[in-house]
Amino acid sequence: MKENGLKLLVAGGAGFIGSSFIRHVLGAHGDWRVVNIDKLTYAGNLANLAGLQGDERYGFFRADICDAVRMDEIVAAEKPDAIVNFAAETHVDRSISDPSLFLRTNVLGTQVLLEAARKGGIARYVQISTDEVYGSLGPQGKFTEESPLRPNSPYAASKTSADLLVRAWCKTYGLSAIVTRCSNNYGPFQFPEKLIPFFITLLRENKPVPVYGDGMNVRDWIHADDHSRAIEAVLLRGRPGEIYNIGGGNERTNIEITKLLLSALGKPDSQMKFVPDRPGHDRRYAIDDTKVRKELGVIPLVPFEEGLRDTVRWYLENEPWWRGVQSGEYLKFYDQWYSQQGRT
Ligand code: NAD
Ligand code: TYD
């Protein structure tokens, strides 16, 4: 894919990883442009992109990816070179209590975007998926791109369904699409419902932190900036029709993560409380990222201890950000932005 003067349509760019990706690509490529489409659900926050206010290379539409008419209009008007889809409902616990929204956005929304890409003759479509499509591992082994798809949560099942739609649009319509499957991300701007920011914000308030089950579940953690760099490489140099696993090479039990956070915040181990397990809780995720390393030269750069320390510091220094997202106050940022721009 051409690198000069690229125009990207990013869906879900106001969320945690999408905003990291937008900040990264506009920082790294002076001649790139980004159009961000986001519904601004509870998880989408334009304050994550406040640094881009006034940057003419960046535009925003508040829109739902399930709205086919709107997606077709935006693609026809903006004529992007590529679409990168981050937009999704993303929290496993929410998917257990209300699966239908996950099917709507993650499955139907993906189908709408694939159709918009096909009709608009878009040169490249990248679907941001997850290692959770592969299900759960025992103590040994890692997920490769050939591992069977065995999703266990409604969230994972919806992401798997979306991946299969991407495959069908490649095979049937010749869409030049690629799927990335990454492990658990951490870093600044993550909504404080996910393990790491949830626990940091609870500990900041001197509250106990709820560890599900025996706390021995394992996740492979990667900094969102490393994920963003990997997506950029896949977008530019990945092979159409392929799947690329992305991982941090950094497996930790939830107890290990919790103890690191307790120590970083100067709290005693007694603040760790074991609570009943999440239904269908996957035991272990681990990524074999040989393909993305060998083909595209992608390696994670952020050492975990350093990344985690910086992330804790970021949450401590940005208390108004997380208090704002907890209360919904951040939507005022959108109203302020909208009144200045006069555009949705
Ligand atoms: P997030 O929940 O922080 O952000 C999701 C964004 O999508 C929000 O800005 C939200 O407003 C937007 N959105 C939701 N529904 C929408 C709709 N119908 N139309 C338009 N926009 C909508 O999620 P995240 O952690 O940044 O994850 C981004 C993507 O990466 C997701 O597809 C997720 O499955 C995938 N992923 C996440 C992780 C992780 O650890 N967070 C790991 C691997 C893959
Ligand atoms: P989470 O951040 O929800 O990501 P995912 O389920 O997509 O991997 O959870 C990460 C791990 O932390 C997972 O094993 C569930 C566990 N967890 C807890 O033990 N307590 C909590 O309050 C949360 C939110 C997660």
Side-chain angles (χ1 to χ4, degrees), residues 11-20 36-45 48 61-67 71 85-91 101 104-106 109 127-132 155 159 180-186 189-191 193-194 221-222 227 231 246 330:
F16 164 47
I17 306 169
S19 64
S20 157
N36 178 15
I37 295 181
D38 200 295
K39 184 179 171 184
L40 298 182
T41 67
Y42 78 93
N45 183 355
N48 301 355
F61 293 92
R62 186 175 194 177
D64 185 337
I65 59 163
C66 300
D67 182 342
M71 291 306 114
N85 181 24
F86 294 87
E89 290 294 331
T90 60
H91 191 41
L101 186 54
R104 184 181 178 277
T105 290
N106 301 1
Q127 174 75 6
I128 308 306
S129 186
T130 164
D131 60 356
E132 301 194 27
Y155 163 68
K159 294 295 289 184
T180 62
R181 293 181 180 150
C182 189
S183 56
N184 284 61
N185 284 222
Y186 72 97
F189 298 107
Q190 187 170 30
F191 195 88
E193 63 185 352
K194 306 279 169 42
W221 294 93
I222 183 171
H227 188 187
I231 296 166
I246 300 165
Y330 60 97

Side-chain angles (χ1 to χ4, degrees), residues 307-332:
L308 192 69
R309 209 175 36 244
D310 290 351
T311 301
V312 170
R313 190 179 318 120
W314 187 88
Y315 278 87
L316 295 183
E317 288 172 357
N318 290 275
E319 200 161 323
W321 180 90
W322 56 265
R323 291 211 182 273
V325 303
Q326 281 172 334
S327 68
E329 271 290 293
Y330 60 97
L331 285 171
K332 282 190 184 153

